[in-house]
């Protein structure tokens, strides 16, 4: 079977961490079935905590005026008020998944950024789409 052309390869978003994945030759035979960026995400899968974090992000944004932003730590604090710091990477992953779905924008210094490559503090806002 021939490898797909570059135009057919495209990009996908990992179902767990929300990072952008580009086509790799090791996925040539089953690119349509690829859901995870690697073994770690495939094993971890999404949990109820991940879904609660997504819900907290959307609820916090819904309670704010249009165009208002939140810090991802606010969602982590809403899910686990006493022990929220360990949830921060999962919160960033939830924000990346929501951004890939077109539900939130990830911002740095007031500008939209690619959540897969953003480094440093970010803010989240509802999309205008």
């Amino acid at each position: 079977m021939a490898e797909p052309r570059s135009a057919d390869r495209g990009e996908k978003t990992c179902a767990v961490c929300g990072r952008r994945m580009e086509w790799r030759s090791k996925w040539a035979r089953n690119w349509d079935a690829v859901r995870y960026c690697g073994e770690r995400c495939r094993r971890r899968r999404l949990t109820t905590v991940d879904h609660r974090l997504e819900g907290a992000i959307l609820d916090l944004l819904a309670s704010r005026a249009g165009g208002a932003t939140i810090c991802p730590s606010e969602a982590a604090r809403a899910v686990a008020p006493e022990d929220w710091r360990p949830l921060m990477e999962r919160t960033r992953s939830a924000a990346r998944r929501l951004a890939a779905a077109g539900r939130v924008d990830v911002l740095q210094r007031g500008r939209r950024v690619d959540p897969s490559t953003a480094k440093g503090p970010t803010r989240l806002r509802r999309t205008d789409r």
Side-chain angles (χ1 to χ4, degrees), residues 83-94:
D83 196 25
W84 59 272
R85 280 188 174 85
L87 292 180
M88 281 308 297
E89 184 53 39
R90 285 182 156 197
T91 306
R92 288 185 206 87
S93 294

Side-chain angles (χ1 to χ4, degrees), residues 94-107:
R96 285 191 296 265
R97 287 191 304 274
L98 290 170
R103 302 196 61 194
V104 301
D105 288 328
V106 178
L107 309 171

Side-chain angles (χ1 to χ4, degrees), residues 6-67:
S6 296
D8 297 337
R9 295 175 184 169
E11 294 179 344
K12 290 185 173 189
T13 302
C14 178
V16 174
C17 69
R19 287 191 172 91
R20 191 172 16 92
M21 301 181 287
E22 293 181 359
W23 183 89
R24 295 184 193 162
S25 59
K26 71 178 185 178
W27 293 330
R29 290 188 179 178
N30 62 347
W31 177 241
D32 292 334
V34 172
R35 294 190 61 219
Y36 309 104
C37 63
E39 187 64 24
R40 180 176 173 222
C41 286
R42 187 185 67 76
R43 274 184 276 139
R44 197 184 121 217
R45 307 283 173 121
L46 293 178
T47 65
T48 56
V49 171
D50 297 311
H51 294 296
R52 288 177 56 205
L53 287 166
E54 287 181 12
I57 290 169
L58 295 173
D59 290 345
L60 287 165
L61 289 172
S63 68
R64 307 280 168 92

